[in-house]
Amino acid sequence: MKKTFQHRIKANPQTHQKAEKWLSLCRQLYNDCLNERIIAYKENKKSIFQYSQMRKLPQLKKTFPDFKQVNSQTLQDVIQRLDKAYQGFFRRVKNKEKAGFPRFKGQNRYNSFTLKQTGWKLNGRYLEIKNIGRFKLFLSRPIEGDIKTITIRRTLTNQWFVSFACDNVSQKLLPKTGKEIGIDMGCESFLTDSNGQKIDNPRFFKNSQSILIKRQQKLSQKVKGSNRRNKTRLLVAKIHQKISNQRKDFHFKTANKLVKENDKIYIEKLNSFKSFKGLNKSMRDVAWFQFFNILRFKAEEAGREVVEVPAQNTSQLCSRCGQIIEKDLSVRIHKCSCGLEIDRDWNAALNILRLGQSLRVIPRIS
Ligand SMILES: [Zn+2]
């Protein structure tokens, strides 16, 4: 299976400067290629594809020798990223989703570059990149499998990381438990499972969130371009990063527990998500999306299965008798004439489990 290993890296100021220079050149190339595509389309209704832009790279290096410093595959990857942005745009247009056209990347908006098989090597505790220098690697766990690409990334708070994208990483299969579970993502608790157990949103989120709001308010009061504003912006970026790390950690712990205890986990299909009204809705959707990705990944690693259920009406349907009991979000208890009276999210999780189990493919006899 595939797996990505991410590690912190550090180097001396000159090395970091060179890495910054690569980022800046990659950003320039990205914006130039985007510009070329836009102009070609405006003036001649012509589309330009990645290979024709890649063919121009040798010429670019002749005209602007700075680009000679940057690994060729890294430059190709920049054009591939632009191509992906275009494909994503057209896919969303086709699906009639909200689609933003690929954008020019501003100064702090291009934060990583990728190398493939050449131009770098691992040397003990060090990562050496040709024409940049040597980074010290902070390995928290060993890298497994075959490394396919490495991506160097700078965060908004100026920390640097490397991600090794690996293939052929062996699974760590867990013994079968004979158990299956349905989970309902909630707004009051993070999730409720079909055994009636709830996992709450950790309290530290709330603290971090309120710090974030305060700092964002401060930021909006500062004069644009001022030193103080820049300092405050760094503080906002720092708390953002802290929240994102805390969330990831919480997601991993929750996913590990579910995967350890169950052979099969039934979840709601994302596009059928109930929408919650309110400010935090989109943030919550993003968090769920991330959680499901981690859950799928952990399940694959352990030889477990995550099944998406196109769930509708899961909170209204009675999980015992199938009657529709309409209730708005404020009603926390599902109460049915069949006698079932349980927490509404527990009822929903039971429906997800049942719907999922009913989807099982029955072998056809021909
Ligand atoms: Zn009922």
Side-chain angles (χ1 to χ4, degrees), residues 185-216:
M185 306 304 290
C187 58
E188 303 227 322
S189 342
F190 179 67
L191 65 81
T192 307
D193 68 30
S194 49
N195 303 322
Q197 296 250 11
K198 282 178 182 289
I199 294 179
D200 286 323
N201 283 303
R203 191 164 295 176
F204 52 71
F205 274 168
K206 262 195 183 154
N207 297 337
S208 311
Q209 290 285 2
S210 65
I211 297 172
L212 176 65
I213 290 166
K214 271 183 209 147
R215 288 188 185 171
Q216 273 171 334

Side-chain angles (χ1 to χ4, degrees), residues 34-46:
L34 175 57
N35 195 36
E36 189 191 10
R37 290 185 186 210
I38 292 172
I39 288 174
Y41 191 76
K42 262 192 194 151
E43 293 183 351
N44 307 315
K45 292 273 168 275
K46 233 182 86 186

Side-chain angles (χ1 to χ4, degrees), residues 246-293:
Q246 284 176 330
R247 175 173 294 129
K248 216 176 181 179
D249 196 50
F250 167 64
H251 285 173
F252 265 102
K253 278 186 187 139
T254 310
N256 276 337
K257 183 175 183 295
L258 286 166
V259 163
K260 202 175 151 199
E261 292 169 0
N262 302 282
D263 295 342
K264 244 184 198 184
I265 301 157
Y266 297 97
I267 60 172
E268 286 169 88
K269 205 168 178 173
L270 256 171
N271 57 17
S272 69
F273 264 179
K274 51 216 162 185
S275 358
F276 292 122
K277 291 210 174 78
L279 202 69
N280 286 326
K281 179 195 167 293
S282 61
M283 267 175 67
R284 191 152 25 201
D285 284 1
V286 169
W288 287 348
F289 189 77
Q290 284 174 347
F291 172 65
F292 283 173
N293 277 343

Side-chain angles (χ1 to χ4, degrees), residues 174-190:
L174 290 173
K176 293 261 177 265
T177 62
K179 285 183 187 155
E180 299 190 351
I181 203 168
I183 59 175
D184 175 64
M185 306 304 290
C187 58
E188 303 227 322
S189 342
F190 179 67

